[in-house]
C-alpha cells in the first residue's frame, strides 16, 4: 500500500480572517463589471502589503495572470468555496434576547452559508413566538430537535453568566461547533470548535483609541 506524503496545509487564522474582506471587495468589483483585479488593488483596499495578498491567495486554487492579476469572477467563486460559504450549514441559537433577535433578523447570514433554523430560550414570553419566521422553543427541546434536524452548530447569545451552562448542554447534545457571542470564555473538549465574537471587546478598543486620541490633542 502506497501512502501519500502530502500533508494537509494549515491556513493561518489571520489569513482566514482577511479572506472575507477580499471576497467582499471582489464581489463589489464583480457588480461593477470589472474583469480582473491585481494583488496591489486588493492590498490598497486592505491597507496591507501586496505580497501578503499573494501569499494569502496561494492557499486557494486561484491563479493570477501576469500583468492583469486575478479574474474577478473566478476569485469570488474560489474564495466563496474556500471559506465554506457555498455550503449551507444549519445552526441553533440559544438566547433570543436583543442580541439573539438581531442575529435572527440578519437574513444576510445565509449568504455566508449559515442558516439558523431554530432559537431557544427560557423566557415564557418569548417561547412559541417567531422571529423573522424562526420559531423560539424552550431549551428543553434542544436535544430532541438537534437530533431530528441533524444540527451540529450552536450560537450562544445568553447572558455571560449562563454561557458555560449552555455550552455544556450543547456539547452533551451533540453540537460540534459553537459561535460564542458572550464575553465569557467557555471551556469545551478539544474536539469542539469554538469561535468567540465579543462585541464589547471591540467597543473597548474603539473607546481606548478614541480617548487616547483626545488626550494627545489636548
Amino acid at each position: 500500500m502506497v501512502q501519500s506524503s502530502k500533508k494537509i496545509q494549515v491556513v493561518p487564522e489571520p489569513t482566514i480572517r482577511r479572506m472575507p474582506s477580499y471576497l467582499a471587495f471582489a464581489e463589489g468589483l464583480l457588480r461593477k463589471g470589472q474583469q480582473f483585479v491585481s494583488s496591489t488593488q486588493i492590498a490598497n483596499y486592505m491597507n496591507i502589503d501586496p505580497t501578503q495578498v499573494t501569499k494569502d491567495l496561494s492557499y486557494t486554487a486561484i491563479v493570477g495572470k501576469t500583468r492583469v492579476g486575478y479574474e474577478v469572477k473566478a476569485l469570488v467563486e474560489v474564495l466563496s468555496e474556500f471559506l465554506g460559504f457555498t455550503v449551507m450549514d444549519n445552526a441553533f441559537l440559544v438566547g433570543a434576547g436583543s442580541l439573539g433577535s438581531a442575529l435572527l433578523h440578519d437574513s444576510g447570514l445565509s449568504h455566508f452559508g449559515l442558516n439558523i433554523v431554530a432559537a431557544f430560550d427560557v423566557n415564557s414570553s418569548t417561547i412559541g413566538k417567531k422571529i423573522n419566521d424562526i420559531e423560539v422553543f424552550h431549551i428543553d427541546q434542544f436535544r430532541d430537535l438537534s437530533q431530528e434536524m441533524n444540527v451540529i452548530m450552536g450560537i450562544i447569545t445568553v447572558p455571560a453568566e449562563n454561557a458555560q451552562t449552555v455550552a455544556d448542554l450543547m456539547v452533551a447534545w451533540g453540537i460540534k461547533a459553537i459561535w460564542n457571542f458572550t464575553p465569557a470564555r467557555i471551556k469545551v473538549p478539544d474536539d469542539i470548535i469554538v469561535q468567540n465574537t465579543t462585541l464589547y471587546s471591540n467597543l473597548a478598543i474603539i473607546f481606548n483609541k478614541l480617548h487616547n486620541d483626545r488626550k494627545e490633542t489636548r
Side-chain angles (χ1 to χ4, degrees):
M1 180 178 178
V2 178
Q3 293 184 340
S4 173
S5 59
K6 186 178 180 180
K7 295 181 179 179
I8 297 175
Q9 197 173 28
V10 178
V11 183
E13 187 169 319
T15 293
I16 296 176
R17 290 184 180 275
R18 285 188 290 268
M19 284 184 173
S21 295
Y22 296 167
L23 175 59
F25 181 58
E27 287 177 328
L29 296 179
L30 185 63
R31 287 192 293 271
K32 294 176 182 177
Q34 185 167 322
Q35 291 186 318
F36 292 92
V37 60
S38 68
S39 57
T40 300
Q41 286 178 289
I42 299 174
N44 289 339
Y45 171 76
M46 295 288 295
N47 197 28
I48 59 177
D49 193 274
T51 57
Q52 183 64 66
V53 175
T54 303
K55 183 177 180 181
D56 288 346
L57 294 179
S58 70
Y59 289 101
T60 73
I62 192 73
V63 178
K65 296 182 180 180
T66 305
R67 290 190 294 275
V68 294
Y70 304 96
E71 185 182 352
V72 173
K73 186 174 184 294
L75 183 60
V76 168
E77 292 173 351
V78 168
L79 284 175
S80 295
E81 183 175 355
F82 184 85
L83 292 168
F85 295 162
T86 58
V87 178
M88 193 63 68
D89 287 306
N90 292 336
F92 281 168
L93 180 145
V94 177
S98 56
L99 178 55
S101 295
L103 285 175
L104 294 173
H105 276 109
D106 188 356
S107 301
L109 290 173
S110 61
H111 176 70
F112 299 99
L114 181 63
N115 182 33
I116 302 176
V117 293
F120 299 84
D121 210 292
V122 294
N123 189 335
S124 58
S125 64
T126 305
I127 296 167
K129 293 184 177 180
K130 287 189 176 182
I131 302 174
N132 195 24
D133 208 33
I134 300 170
E135 189 168 353
V136 181
F137 298 90
H138 191 280
I139 188 64
D140 289 345
Q141 295 179 262
F142 189 107
R143 182 176 186 175
D144 291 339
L145 286 175
S146 65
Q147 294 175 347
E148 178 184 324
M149 303 175 75
N150 194 29
V151 172
I152 59 173
M153 180 175 177
I155 302 170
I156 300 179
T157 51
V158 298
E161 60 269 23
N162 300 325
Q164 186 61 56
T165 299
V166 171
D168 292 342
L169 291 174
M170 285 184 171
V171 172
W173 294 341
I175 293 298
K176 300 300 181 185
I178 298 174
W179 194 2
N180 174 34
F181 278 85
T182 79
R185 301 299 87 172
I186 58 177
K187 299 182 183 301
V188 297
D190 291 339
D191 62 334
I192 305 299
I193 300 167
V194 174
Q195 181 61 50
N196 297 303
T197 300
T198 308
L199 301 179
Y200 308 115
S201 295
N202 293 330
L203 185 61
I205 293 171
I206 291 174
F207 283 157
N208 181 265
K209 291 181 179 179
L210 179 64
H211 296 158
N212 285 338
D213 287 345
R214 286 177 177 174
K215 291 177 183 177
E216 291 175 1
T217 55
R218 288 176 182 174

